[in-house]
Amino acid sequence: MGENSCVRDNDGRKLDHKTLEVLRMRAVEQVAAGAHPEEVAITLGFHKNTVYGWLAKVREGGHGALKAKAVPGRPPRLSPTQISRLYGFIVGVDPRQLSFEFALWTREMVREVIVREFGVRLSVVSVGRLMRTMGLSPQRPLHRAYQQDPDAVERWKTEQFPAIRAEAKKAGATVFFADEAGIRSDYHAGTTWAPVGQTPVVANTGARYSINMLSAVSAQGALRFMVHDGTVTATVFIEFCKRLLTDAAGPVFLIVDGHPSHRAKAVTKFVASTDGRLRLFFLPGYSPQLNPDEWVWKNVKHDRIGKTGVTSKDDLKTKATGALRRLQKLPALICGFFHDPNLAYITA
């Protein structure tokens, strides 16, 4: 193998700046003592031109010219204190509080805040790099209703639901979480592969149909459902509850949201007529993240029906029923819904 085909063990390019300073001084001293520059270069592992360059620097600026210098680089535009303040803005402030139109932070908006607060102008690319050094990354946010009461959510998680769970265990009851969802024939989800620059086309019906679905899930992986052609009224909800009781071996504790059909007088009367076999409990307002049944609709609507083509109303109903029956046969997947961090309170 040729002499220049690899980096030698004593190659000066491997050394840190302080060590290089020492070697530069040693090389100059050896030359001053009578050694030939090219011999010194070979001994120390440098190119002869490098050693000649050091000698020239000494002639022009003395031995101080061989001192190690700080690695040059652009100084930071924002101080640590300013970066800390900027982090507080991005993490702790809704952009709308700073007179922005949108509720989601963008690099352009952060750039404007930096100009506004610190009088420093950065490029959009530099802003993105800065945010990453602060440990920030672009993420899809979870949307919460502003009417949601955080204290009510906390009480539900730490006090109300644990009491319900304990009471259900004592009564031998199954705890179900129920919800309703509608789906239309023009609901689409997912992506497909296609040539760059050519938007793919999937043929579907141009007519619009819709159906409603009711379902209930338990932490043990059970799923009960009903597909309904029309609005979900108190009468429809009562019918769903009757079916739920028919399938249950013991009492049912049913947790629902505050939808009017759940709070109707007819529903209250029906629950009372079951002699304790059915009990209703209500989630805090505007808190869908507390209901694992929301994951049923993601699976059925987004992961299944939205990726198919619908040709008629009957086809939509068939596909919805099929997706629910498929999920019903996958109790392990249903149990997985309860692993959502927002639902950890259920199995804690």
Side-chain angles (χ1 to χ4, degrees), residues 167 171-178 216 234 236-246 248-256 261-262 266-282:
E167 192 173 351
T174 302
V175 178
F176 278 97
F177 290 79
V236 174
F237 180 62
I238 289 172
E239 175 60 28
F240 176 70
C241 290
K242 289 179 179 178
R243 297 187 186 187
L244 192 60
L245 289 175
T246 299
V252 170
F253 283 23
L254 188 60
I255 298 174
V256 294
S261 64
H262 303 154
V267 172
T268 303
K269 184 177 179 180
F270 169 73
V271 171
S273 71
T274 65
D275 295 325
R277 282 208 65 217
L278 175 66
R279 293 185 59 183
L280 281 188
F281 301 90
F282 296 94

Side-chain angles (χ1 to χ4, degrees), residues 87-98 103 105:
Y87 183 89
F89 281 131
I90 300 173
V91 174
V93 178
D94 186 317
R96 291 171 294 188
Q97 294 175 256
L98 299 176
W105 283 109

Side-chain angles (χ1 to χ4, degrees), residues 179-183 211-215 232 293-294 297 301:
D179 193 25
E180 301 88 21
I183 187 165
I211 59 170
N212 284 294
M213 304 170 288
L214 301 87
S215 73
V232 176
D293 207 45
E294 293 287 339
W297 307 132
K301 295 173 63 175

Side-chain angles (χ1 to χ4, degrees), residues 124-146:
V124 172
V125 173
S126 295
V127 169
R129 188 180 301 117
L130 174 62
M131 289 197 290
R132 289 190 181 279
T133 62
M134 292 191 294
L136 304 175
S137 64
Q139 301 178 40
R140 185 183 299 276
L142 296 174
H143 292 264
R144 295 283 181 262
Y146 66 85

Side-chain angles (χ1 to χ4, degrees), residues 25-40:
M25 294 294 186
R26 184 180 302 170
V28 171
E29 290 171 358
Q30 290 178 1
V31 172
H36 194 283
E38 295 183 16
E39 293 177 354
V40 173

